[in-house]
Amino acid sequence: MTRVFSGVKPTGHLTLGNYLGAMRRWATVDQYRADALFCIVDLHALTVDHDPARVRRLSRQAATLLLASGLDPERCTVFVQSHVDEHTRLSYLLECVATDGEMRRMIQYKEKAAREQRRGGSVRLSLLTYPVLMAADILAYGADEVPVGNDQTQHVELARDIAVRFNQRYGHTFVVPRATSPGVAARVMNLQDPGSKMGKSDDTGPGIVYLLDEPDVVRKKVMRAVTDSGSEVVYDRESRPGLANLLEILAACTGGDPEALAGTYVGYGALKRDTADAVIEVLRPLRERHQELCADPGYLEGVLREGAERARGMARPTVDTAHRAIGLLPASVEEAVPLNAAR
């Protein structure tokens, strides 16, 4: 069976973009068609200045929302990255295979480092090296597919390059993964800045619909969404990005087609009202299930504990193999099994 790995970083409250672009597909498609692992990648949240208590709180909230979105721990593996030591055990080995040049070409590092430099500061070393940790997240489980947005495709390509290089130097150890992308609404844009993604780490709250926003808050944000000049409702992402964003959100929520939906409206007001209604209805069962899960914290703890145990069992053989392949002594006699007679 195809193995799928994906994760969410607890650096902010999860948004409508996270749900329509990824989480809904994980719940309705991926967990049924594949051996799927979904991870709260909390170690990645440490690459920037952070409040420890907030990281813990957002990690728990993200895990709860993944379950509320429909992930079934009987069908898939839901766990927290830091609960499985194999991620960090493998990450250092992969740092010994990756190059400095590869790290410094990563777009997110270049942008954040340049921004901090303009402020007279500097970024943490972990921001430079975390794409290798992301590669370890993927390669430890032998993942075939990694569902990601366009902004993360470069990191999956790095994981592929590292896997191929390791396999060539030290013997076949890793599955070479591929990035996959969902279709409509794979990239939900900010309602106040339709040129930017609706990101959970963004600080422009009025343009972001959070999964736990109350219905009246959702409606207010959608009704105040930026639209474009002109009164005709047409679907044109290039020249009418604000309008296109609303049409794509409505299409994703209702199963429609953005271009076809555009032809049914003569003004922005009705489109915004219908989009707000659709978003509220899509999020309603998720918010209700989230409340139920919060009332039973022991259930979440059990899911995460069992998920970590299952993930550890999947990752350990591959990571142990990588340790032996690269030249490290096994920790016990039982592990001292040669990879093959030739090496």
Side-chain angles (χ1 to χ4, degrees), residues 49-314:
D49 193 25
H50 63 277
D51 173 12
R54 186 170 188 264
V55 171
R56 287 190 292 270
R57 185 170 64 252
L58 290 176
S59 296
R60 176 176 289 274
Q61 183 186 91
T64 306
L65 285 169
L66 287 183
L67 297 179
S69 73
L71 291 186
D72 181 354
E74 297 298 320
R75 289 186 174 273
C76 63
T77 303
V78 181
F79 67 105
V80 176
Q81 179 189 32
S82 63
H83 294 178
V84 180
D85 293 343
E86 277 64 30
H87 291 256
T88 50
R89 284 185 63 212
L90 181 56
S91 182
Y92 180 72
L93 300 192
L94 300 187
E95 284 187 16
C96 296
V97 176
T99 68
D100 176 76
E102 287 174 318
M103 297 299 99
R104 295 185 188 280
R105 285 195 295 272
M106 294 290 108
I107 298 299
Q108 292 194 23
Y109 171 76
K110 290 170 65 175
E111 291 178 348
K112 291 180 180 179
R115 185 163 59 245
E116 286 302 315
Q117 189 174 30
R118 288 194 296 270
R119 296 172 178 171
S122 62
V123 296
R124 300 183 180 193
L125 177 61
S126 56
L127 185 66
L128 177 65
T129 59
Y130 97 88
V132 178
L133 177 58
M134 182 174 175
D137 299 338
I138 299 165
L139 299 181
Y141 297 100
D144 303 288
E145 298 180 8
V146 187
V148 292
N150 295 335
D151 58 333
Q152 292 293 326
T153 301
Q154 187 185 35
H155 290 154
V156 181
E157 289 301 316
L158 174 69
R160 290 174 55 85
D161 292 342
I162 292 175
V164 169
R165 192 177 306 149
F166 193 103
N167 290 346
Q168 289 174 342
R169 290 181 183 177
Y170 307 113
H172 185 78
T173 305
F174 299 117
V175 172
V176 180
R178 63 183 181 276
T180 59
S181 178
V184 173
R187 193 171 172 83
V188 178
M189 310 307 283
N190 189 300
L191 294 175
Q192 292 298 314
D193 178 13
S196 302
K197 186 177 72 169
M198 188 182 284
K200 62 182 179 296
S201 302
D202 202 329
D203 57 3
T204 54
I208 304 171
V209 175
Y210 297 105
L211 297 185
L212 296 179
D213 277 346
E214 295 290 340
D216 59 334
V217 174
V218 173
R219 187 175 302 281
K220 183 180 297 184
K221 289 179 177 180
V222 174
M223 295 303 295
R224 293 179 177 177
V226 168
T227 50
D228 314 287
S229 59
S231 58
E232 185 181 4
V233 179
V234 295
Y235 179 64
D236 186 335
R237 178 173 275 282
E238 294 300 320
S239 63
R240 310 285 289 280
L243 190 55
N245 190 36
L246 288 172
L247 288 166
E248 289 185 354
I249 292 172
L250 179 60
C253 290
T254 61
D257 175 76
E259 193 167 353
L261 285 169
T264 65
Y265 292 95
V266 295
Y268 294 159
L271 171 61
K272 287 184 174 182
R273 285 192 294 273
D274 286 354
T275 301
D277 288 342
V279 171
I280 290 168
E281 184 58 27
V282 160
L283 296 184
R284 179 184 55 76
L286 182 147
R287 295 180 68 254
E288 291 175 353
R289 179 58 176 153
H290 177 266
Q291 289 181 332
E292 294 173 0
L293 291 169
C294 287
D296 184 9
Y299 174 74
L300 176 65
E301 292 172 4
V303 167
L304 296 180
R305 182 173 59 252
E306 292 174 10
E309 291 174 359
R310 193 184 310 162
R312 196 175 300 116
M314 294 181 193

Side-chain angles (χ1 to χ4, degrees), residues 38-56:
F38 301 106
C39 181
I40 311 303
V41 288
D42 54 345
L43 295 175
H44 293 297
L46 310 185
T47 61
V48 295
D49 193 25
H50 63 277
D51 173 12
R54 186 170 188 264
V55 171
R56 287 190 292 270

